Amino acid sequence: MAEKPTFEIGLTMAGAVSAGAYTAGVVDFLFEALDAIEDVRAGRDTRYLKTGLRDEAPIIDPPHDVRLKALSGTSAGSMITAIVATILGTRVPPVTTKRAVNDTKATGNPLYDCWVNDIHYDKLLSTSDIDKKEELLSLLNSKPLDDILENALLYANKTDYPRPYVLDELPVFFCVSNLRGVRYGLKLNSGSGVPAEHQMSLHADWVQFQWGRSAGTGVGGPVRLQAGKNASDWKRLGDAALASGAFPVGLSARGLFRDFGDYEQRQWYDRSLGKTSLHPPIDKRDNFKDGKYDFVNADGGVFNNEPLELCRVALSEGPDKQNKRDPLEATRGVILIDPFPNLFELEEDYDVKQHSHLLDVIKNLVGAMVSQARFKLDELALADDDNVASRYAIMPVRYKKNGEAEKYSIACGSLGGFGGFLSKEFRHFDFMLGRRNCQRFLSRHFALPADWVAQTVNPLFVNWQGKEFTAAFQFVPESEPGDRFAGKKYLPIVPLLGKLASSDYTELPPWPTAPADLKAGDLKKKVLKRADAIKDALVAQYKPSTAFKAGIASYWWLKKDDWVQRFAIDKVRVALDERKITMP
């Protein structure tokens, strides 16, 4: 039997902080849709797909294939990417809107349990990381994250459902901010007696793993992952994910190790040359004992918050590492899941004098360096081209009853993305919003031309012509003026079967206007206890004189209540008020 036309996808999961709950919801629905198709093909009972909801779609075996070929993530996106890797050999139950927000039982789905059930501000403000210790590693307690990832890694032991839509070899990338750095040299012609090399240091780093269905061969290269095998390698996956999510100051930095030979063999893609090539660093593997290179990492999102390029290159084929972009030719594409696409608002009343003050310059300089490190001109150019069908994005949107988009789509977005840790209701809502947005994306946006009358048909759909169910899935998408495919029919790359196509199935819970698990008094007690422990840890760590120590204790006792109220509780209240959320 001839192989079906196939579309290959790479998933890129951007930094998200607590809005990782949104990304987790997106992935949950995507896997549910792909699993439903495989249920039809395997002859399993699919009556669960027909429940009598409005606009349910036919249950069919689509005459084309979709395959997952690469994963990449940054920060919270890396943690979700790690969880995704653990369930590639098993099946977990989707968590739908039938799930009550106050239900505390485990779901058996680590995407929901890790990001909605198991993480909360009381755990992050606990003091187990600094009790009886003299080292302060972060403002928040990072130990709960270790426990959450450890529980998620248990799913890597399961081999009951090797997902058919995952390719046999799947690269997995995590972006990290390598604080040690790797030295590179730029050779220059500068004349005799003058240094002929300009040195640079790489800090925008990444770690690669390779998930496979069978044991790997050879030595070196990415760490090999196989469902049900080599727990130590899965532990390294979890460590790398936590290192990628080590939000500076807020969460503790993480140490990793790798064979330095990885850098000597790393292939770099050069857009100017249109190919990949080796660019070895100054140092060699022999400079490190047994080749082991240790390095401390902060949040990968500092330098690369949307690692599209890693996924794109892994997805591509051929010497030029390019994916076909024309909608009539595209055979693969990267999907970016990004809960925070809008980072900045225009400062219309920009005051040059105010922003020239020393403290303002220092504050803005840090943000400017991070933003510049993340700036990608080549990605911007491609995003402006409507005829690029190899890059897609799922971003949060929530609509009012009149069809207008709400100003604030996600509930976890306050406090720079940390707001979701304040209430389970925020995380539950965003998980369900991710599922709903993924449903809309798959049904209306992740599609290619399939109009035989207009002779605009992507080869992916060659076997759809003449099928009795084709008309039920065809649609005409919204288009911009001048779009060459305006008015033409499209087909979805991942058809939604049965109830999965109904908007009733992904109906959102109410916006959490007054979360029951968030009380100002309780939050303040937790913050005060954590602040006390931080003060004690700093005193123990730096050992001031007895007199200075007594002065610190007295001043802290006088000021701590006011400081916590002004700089924590009041800030939280204002941030929530903007989103029409109250905190009693």
Side-chain angles (χ1 to χ4, degrees), residues 7 53 84 212 233 300 309 330 437:
F7 194 91
L53 297 176
V84 170
D233 292 336
E309 187 68 2
N437 284 177

Side-chain angles (χ1 to χ4, degrees), residues 13-17 19-23 337-342 394-396 409-410:
M13 294 170 238
V17 200
Y22 173 85
T23 303
I337 308 172
D338 190 354
F340 294 125
N342 304 316
I394 305 177
M395 299 178 180
S409 298
I410 59 175

Side-chain angles (χ1 to χ4, degrees), residues 325-341:
R325 299 169 181 167
D326 191 285
L328 294 179
E329 300 177 345
T331 59
R332 55 182 67 92
V334 176
I335 301 174
L336 169 67
I337 308 172
D338 190 354
F340 294 125

Side-chain angles (χ1 to χ4, degrees), residues 34-49 59 91 160-165:
L34 294 171
D35 286 338
I37 293 172
E38 297 302 332
D39 283 347
V40 175
R41 290 175 175 169
R44 300 187 185 97
D45 187 351
T46 57
R47 285 177 293 179
Y48 73 92
L49 290 171
I59 298 176
R91 188 164 179 171
D160 55 286
Y161 180 66
R163 296 177 183 267
Y165 45 83

Side-chain angles (χ1 to χ4, degrees), residues 92-141:
V92 298
V95 182
T96 71
T97 50
K98 290 183 178 180
R99 169 81 178 188
V101 67
N102 59 356
D103 191 341
T104 59
K105 296 188 299 291
T107 65
N109 182 333
L111 291 167
Y112 184 90
D113 289 338
C114 290
W115 280 98
V116 181
N117 264 350
D118 296 341
I119 188 69
H120 199 59
Y121 78 81
D122 56 349
K123 294 183 178 181
L124 295 173
L125 291 174
S126 65
T127 59
S128 61
D129 58 328
I130 47 180
D131 287 342
K132 300 179 182 179
K133 288 182 62 175
E134 295 186 356
E135 292 182 336
L136 177 67
L137 300 179
S138 56
L139 293 181
L140 298 176
N141 187 349

